Amino acid sequence: GENVEQHPSTLSVQEGDSAVIKCTYSDSASNYFPWYKQELGKRPQLIIDIRSNVGEKKDQRIAVTLNKTAKHFSLHITETQPEDSAVYFCAASSFGNEKLTFGTGTRLTIIP
Amino acid sequence: GAVVSQHPSWVICKSGTSVKIECRSLDFQATTMFWYRQFPKQSLMLMATSNEGSKATYEQGVEKDKFLINHASLTLSTLTVTSAHPEDSSFYICSAPGTGAGTAFFGQGTRLTVV
């Protein structure tokens, strides 16, 4: 089955700086890669996603890049703000298999 | 947008008792529901997949007799934790697939504490 690894497990960034979180996956059949933000005790919230026919996608301060050959994808948050502090999870799934396999999570702390 | 409503949001129960968690799709039909468990400071781990009208599929290492899943209708899936023990204390969350492959609508989650 799919295995998704995520790094780093914790990340502290000065407010205004950029944050980068990286994930690798094992199943070459995976073709959908969402990123979720989860606050304590809450459900995961989709913040951005990318499909395997695209190499990069951007939504305001958030961007995701995908390297299919290397089987890795990354989340980039620019101009970080205190409200960006949360746990972020990457995930992967493949066409015809609706299950999501989650990464281990990154606790992002924005230092004011 | 589509909404999955999960109840209760938190529950405290005594060891040995059973707890039922419900997930309802409010404005769409969910033929499939995924059930995840999340221990503190850990990731979401898929426990099982429920399918309306058929038996649930359990992930390796998940006891099907302990975690009973029922998907009796297109809008309701339930997870019952039977004979709960303190080590079952966790955050349980359901999700229904969205229209795009891999997309998901999550319930609010249930914080289960077994004392």
Side-chain angles (χ1 to χ4, degrees):
Chain A
E2 175 66 278
N3 181 49
V4 179
E5 295 189 356
Q6 182 172 346
H7 299 281
S9 57
T10 61
L11 178 62
S12 293
V13 173
Q14 287 290 140
E15 182 179 355
D17 288 350
S18 297
V20 180
I21 303 170
K22 298 182 179 182
C23 287
T24 60
Y25 61 98
S26 61
D27 189 350
S28 57
S30 290
N31 64 351
Y32 176 68
F33 308 94
W35 284 90
Y36 290 91
K37 176 183 181 182
Q38 187 182 31
E39 298 179 354
L40 189 62
K42 301 284 183 66
R43 76 185 94 191
Q45 289 182 298
L46 179 69
I47 56 172
I48 197 167
D49 57 9
I50 192 167
R51 296 192 183 275
S52 59
N53 58 343
V54 175
E56 183 174 357
K57 183 177 178 180
K58 188 174 182 179
D59 182 3
Q60 300 183 337
R61 297 187 296 112
I62 297 172
V64 56
T65 59
L66 171 66
N67 183 326
K68 285 174 55 180
T69 304
K71 297 199 193 73
H72 66 69
F73 56 112
S74 301
L75 176 71
H76 304 253
I77 306 175
T78 59
E79 301 172 24
T80 53
Q81 301 167 2
E83 52 264 38
D84 294 330
S85 295
V87 179
Y88 291 81
F89 291 98
C90 62
S93 73
S94 57
F95 179 76
N97 183 354
E98 298 163 321
K99 292 194 296 187
L100 285 168
T101 300
F102 286 86
T104 46
T106 297
R107 180 170 298 278
L108 175 63
T109 302
I110 306 302
I111 304 166
Chain B
V3 174
V4 173
S5 179
Q6 183 173 348
H7 294 279
S9 55
W10 61 270
V11 59
I12 301 173
C13 71
K14 292 185 177 180
S15 285
T17 62
S18 296
V19 172
K20 180 186 281 189
I21 301 169
E22 293 188 348
C23 276
R24 294 181 184 272
S25 54
L26 296 187
D27 51 2
F28 68 105
Q29 294 180 334
T31 56
T32 299
M33 193 73 76
F34 298 109
W35 287 93
Y36 295 88
R37 178 169 53 186
Q38 186 178 29
F39 291 111
K41 297 186 179 182
Q42 294 190 25
S43 187
L44 288 82
M45 299 300 294
L46 182 66
M47 298 175 63
T49 304
S50 73
N51 298 288
E52 188 268 336
S54 64
K55 290 184 178 180
T57 304
Y58 290 82
E59 296 299 304
Q60 193 171 10
V62 178
E63 301 174 58
K64 61 181 180 181
D65 294 331
K66 180 171 179 63
F67 298 99
L68 301 180
I69 288 175
N70 185 278
H71 198 141
S73 77
L74 289 171
T75 59
L76 175 64
S77 177
T78 62
L79 166 67
T80 301
V81 183
T82 63
S83 186
H85 291 287
E87 55 264 32
D88 297 323
S89 298
S90 188
F91 189 63
Y92 293 85
I93 191 164
C94 61
S95 78
T99 51
T103 58
F105 300 109
F106 286 91
Q108 300 98 315
T110 297
R111 169 75 56 196
L112 170 63
T113 302
V114 184
V115 298

